[in-house]
């Protein structure tokens, strides 16, 4: 059986397979911050502020006007998984929850019947650069769960398990297990209504780093899953004898043990795997349902209720310049990290 099903060039966003809807990799080398936690005003000249997705001078403002990021916007019918490998992200939502997360933390949010949230990237360091790297993954919900109550959870870096495997030459591959398991290394539990919460759905979300010229075997999975390996950093990788350059998505057969060999540079991957939901997908912007009528209802509901309104004093709030990680949930529970 051929281990590679398809190879595609990476674009923006990355092309995903059911049960995943969307994946974007954000790598921005932000400068030192000003007093407003954004870049200096002069560096915003020539940018399409509010819609700046062009990589200029190594960074983008996205929908931010003063602070980079994504001011408040609604979602319904799916989940967002935000993986922070570097930098600072501030979360606020219409349930009254908020938090700050950074290097190695993961935010998992079930939008369910509807929520508004903002994700801003404050430049908290005024005396040095503020590099940011995140992955934003959208995981679909089946019809029966599209209207569940929204839920927001943090998977802190201290709780996200990392496996390290050495090849016969002593070269290491590290696997960060965000969803599912890798051999005996298990991820924290996701949100209660997530498609990933049922082990039989075979959902895996891993980040993988291989030392240069290393070798690693990706173990086989159950036969009924889609499996995509996103090769986003490095020079080349050889998969079962086929050489593939960086910036490609590789769709892999799930029932095969697959051998990877990295090139002359460290090779970095994101693995997304899961049993397809196999339901119709109707999507319009931030809403993902099963029919166009449900999309129309989502817009009507949002216009009427604003999904609970926006309890914060600005569309792009932040938590200031202190370098602390925490979460405050809608029920008032707090978690604080060093």
């Amino acid at each position: 059986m051929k281990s590679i099903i398809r190879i595609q060039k990476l674009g923006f966003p990355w092309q995903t397979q059911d049960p995943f809807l969307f994946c974007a990799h954000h790598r921005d080398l932000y400068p030192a911050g000003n007093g407003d936690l954004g870049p200096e005003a002069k560096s915003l000249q020539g940018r399409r502020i509010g819609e700046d997705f062009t990589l200029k001078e190594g960074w983008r403002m996205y929908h931010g006007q003063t602070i980079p990021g994504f001011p408040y916007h609604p979602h319904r019918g799916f989940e967002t998984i935000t993986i922070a490998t570097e930098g600072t992200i501030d979360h606020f939502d219409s349930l009254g929850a908020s938090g700050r997360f950074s290097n190695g933390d993961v935010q998992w949010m079930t939008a369910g019947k509807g929520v508004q949230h903002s994700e801003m990237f404050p430049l908290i360091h005024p005396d040095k650069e503020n590099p940011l790297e995140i992955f934003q993954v959208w995981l679909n919900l089946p019809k029966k769960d599209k209207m569940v109550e929204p839920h927001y959870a943090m998977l802190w870096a201290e709780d996200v398990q990392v496996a390290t495997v050495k090849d016969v030459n002593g070269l290491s591959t590290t696997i960060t297990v965000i969803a599912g398991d890798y051999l005996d290394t298990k991820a924290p539990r996701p949100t209660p209504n997530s498609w990933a919460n049922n082990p039989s759905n075979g959902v895996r979300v891993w980040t993988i780093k291989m030392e240069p010229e290393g070798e690693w075997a990706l173990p086989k999975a159950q036969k009924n899953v889609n499996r995509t390996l996103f090769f986003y950093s490095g020079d080349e990788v050889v998969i079962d004898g086929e050489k593939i350059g960086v910036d490609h998505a590789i769709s892999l057969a799930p029932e095969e043990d697959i051998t990877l060999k990295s090139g002359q540079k460290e090779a970095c991957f994101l693995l997304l795997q899961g049993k397809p939901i196999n339901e119709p997908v109707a999507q319009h912007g931030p809403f993902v349902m099963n029919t166009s009528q449900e999309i129309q209802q989502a817009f009507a509901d949002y216009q009427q209720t604003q999904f609970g309104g926006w309890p914060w004093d600005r569309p792009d709030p932040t938590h200031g310049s202190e370098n602390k990680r925490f979460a405050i949930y809608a029920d008032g529970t707090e978690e604080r990290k060093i």
Side-chain angles (χ1 to χ4, degrees):
M1 182 177 179
K2 185 174 174 59
S3 58
I4 298 176
I5 298 172
R6 183 173 59 255
I7 302 172
Q8 291 179 295
K9 185 71 176 175
L10 290 180
F12 186 89
W14 294 349
Q15 188 69 39
T16 58
Q17 299 186 82
D18 188 1
F20 298 95
L21 299 161
F22 170 97
C23 182
H25 175 235
H26 301 285
R27 175 66 175 161
D28 293 280
L29 302 177
Y30 289 115
N34 60 20
D36 295 322
L37 303 180
E40 292 294 339
K42 64 181 180 181
S43 65
L44 301 182
Q45 295 176 4
R47 294 180 180 271
R48 189 179 176 185
I49 297 302
E51 192 72 31
D52 175 28
F53 284 77
T54 300
L55 192 64
K56 179 183 177 183
E57 299 175 348
W59 52 274
R60 294 152 287 206
M61 286 293 289
Y62 302 103
H63 293 307
Q65 301 277 347
T66 304
I67 302 162
F70 298 88
Y72 76 110
H73 55 281
H75 289 305
R76 171 180 279 187
F78 64 100
E79 301 188 280
T80 64
I81 306 168
T82 304
I83 305 165
T85 59
E86 188 175 20
T88 299
I89 300 95
D90 280 351
H91 165 87
F92 290 79
D93 66 39
S94 56
L95 306 176
S98 67
R100 168 167 285 180
F101 59 105
S102 60
N103 305 346
D105 299 326
V106 179
Q107 183 207 72
W108 197 306
M109 188 182 77
T110 303
K113 69 179 184 180
V115 67
Q116 293 191 71
H117 77 148
S118 65
E119 290 174 299
M120 304 307 299
F121 313 143
L123 308 187
I124 63 172
H125 301 296
D127 54 351
K128 62 180 181 178
E129 294 182 341
N130 290 270
L132 176 95
E133 183 180 48
I134 67 170
F135 301 90
Q136 175 137 102
V137 179
W138 290 10
L139 175 60
N140 203 5
L141 288 166
K143 183 178 180 65
K144 69 180 183 65
D145 292 324
K146 283 192 176 293
M147 296 295 285
V148 297
E149 292 294 327
H151 190 94
Y152 153 59
M154 284 303 309
L155 311 183
W156 299 110
E158 294 87 340
D159 303 318
V160 175
Q161 301 299 303
V162 178
T164 301
V165 181
K166 292 186 181 293
D167 64 16
V168 293
N169 296 315
L171 298 172
S172 296
T173 295
T174 58
I175 304 98
T176 302
V177 184
I178 295 157
D181 55 48
Y182 168 71
L183 303 179
D184 294 329
T185 303
K186 299 185 182 299
R189 293 295 296 271
T191 50
N193 294 105
S194 176
W195 187 247
N197 206 30
N198 184 342
S200 68
N201 292 331
V203 175
R204 303 287 183 272
V205 179
W206 304 343
T207 59
I208 302 158
K209 289 187 178 182
M210 300 179 66
E211 286 194 275
E213 301 185 322
E215 183 172 323
W216 174 66
L218 172 64
K220 67 179 67 175
Q222 63 197 63
K223 65 181 180 179
N224 60 345
V225 299
N226 290 326
R227 172 183 262 192
T228 305
L229 191 66
F230 298 93
F231 179 28
Y232 67 91
S233 180
D235 54 5
E236 64 181 31
V237 64
V238 177
I239 298 180
D240 285 356
E242 183 165 350
K243 185 181 294 186
I244 303 167
V246 71
D247 293 330
H248 283 90
I250 306 119
S251 178
L252 298 170
E255 296 177 86
E256 298 285 315
D257 290 318
I258 297 172
T259 300
L260 286 74
K261 296 181 180 179
S262 55
Q264 298 298 308
K265 297 181 179 180
E266 179 183 71
C268 299
F269 307 88
L270 174 71
L271 176 79
L272 297 182
Q273 173 191 299
K275 177 182 174 182
I277 294 173
N278 285 330
E279 292 179 356
V281 174
Q283 180 175 353
H284 195 291
F287 305 139
V288 182
M289 303 301 288
N290 296 107
T291 68
S292 59
Q293 291 82 3
E294 290 170 340
I295 292 291
Q296 293 171 11
Q297 187 62 54
F299 276 100
D301 290 347
Y302 178 60
Q303 290 172 356
Q304 183 176 3
T305 69
Q306 298 293 296
F307 294 161
W310 188 246
W312 312 100
D313 61 359
R314 53 186 290 175
D316 59 348
T318 73
H319 293 292
S321 59
E322 290 192 21
N323 191 15
K324 294 181 179 180
R325 301 149 58 224
F326 67 93
I328 301 174
Y329 299 102
D331 64 0
T333 302
E334 296 187 18
E335 294 178 340
R336 297 193 176 271
K337 300 294 178 179
I338 297 174

